[in-house]
Amino acid sequence: QVQLVESGGGLVQPGGSLRLSCTASGFTLDNLGIGWFRQAPGKEREGVSCISVSDGTTYYADSVKGRFTISRDNAENTVYLQMNSLKPEDTAVYYCAIYVTVAAGRIWGPRDDNYWGQGTQVTVSS
């Protein structure tokens, strides 16, 4: 059974940092594109970053470029999102997903809900 579990969310002050983790079970991350998405209240879900687990190629949304870093540990079957210089507008539920693609300048997630994690809340507030 495919399962993705996110962790690491929480409350942080503006300018602070958090590291999110996404651990996969039931499959290996080898040769799969995996990405992070977020959804703020009243807004559509947006792609934040993704990584090709086979060769490490990364992609970032303009809104997080230079502040967020995606990485992976194949041995641990885990993908990370290091978030620095956090802003209040980064507040959202963050999800990881597999089978992601990049097209037309944005990250696209899978249609199958089974390929998404349950999400972790990130709140940036003073």
Side-chain angles (χ1 to χ4, degrees):
Q1 181 180 356
V2 172
Q3 190 174 20
L4 296 165
V5 179
E6 303 97 334
S7 61
L11 173 65
V12 64
Q13 292 186 342
S17 299
L18 283 174
R19 189 177 80 156
L20 305 184
S21 300
C22 173
T23 300
S25 61
F27 67 99
T28 63
L29 293 176
D30 293 359
N31 299 314
L32 287 177
I34 186 166
W36 288 94
F37 297 77
R38 66 185 181 186
Q39 187 166 22
K43 294 188 177 181
E44 292 187 356
R45 187 162 52 192
E46 63 169 340
V48 173
S49 180
C50 64
I51 185 169
S52 168
V53 186
S54 59
D55 65 8
T57 301
T58 58
Y59 182 88
Y60 297 93
D62 288 343
S63 58
V64 305
K65 208 171 287 184
R67 300 188 298 123
F68 290 11
T69 303
I70 191 170
S71 62
R72 93 288 200 203
D73 185 335
N74 285 355
E76 296 295 326
N77 228 25
T78 298
V79 174
Y80 303 97
L81 186 68
Q82 178 67 43
M83 307 186 296
N84 298 328
S85 302
L86 283 162
K87 305 175 181 180
E89 51 264 44
D90 294 318
T91 295
V93 178
Y94 283 71
Y95 302 88
C96 65
I98 57 171
Y99 296 121
V100 302
T101 58
V102 178
R106 58 173 289 184
I107 303 169
W108 300 84
R111 293 184 178 183
D112 192 332
D113 289 341
N114 289 319
Y115 299 136
W116 292 85
Q118 84 290 349
T120 185
Q121 176 71 47
V122 171
T123 302
V124 185
S125 175
S126 55

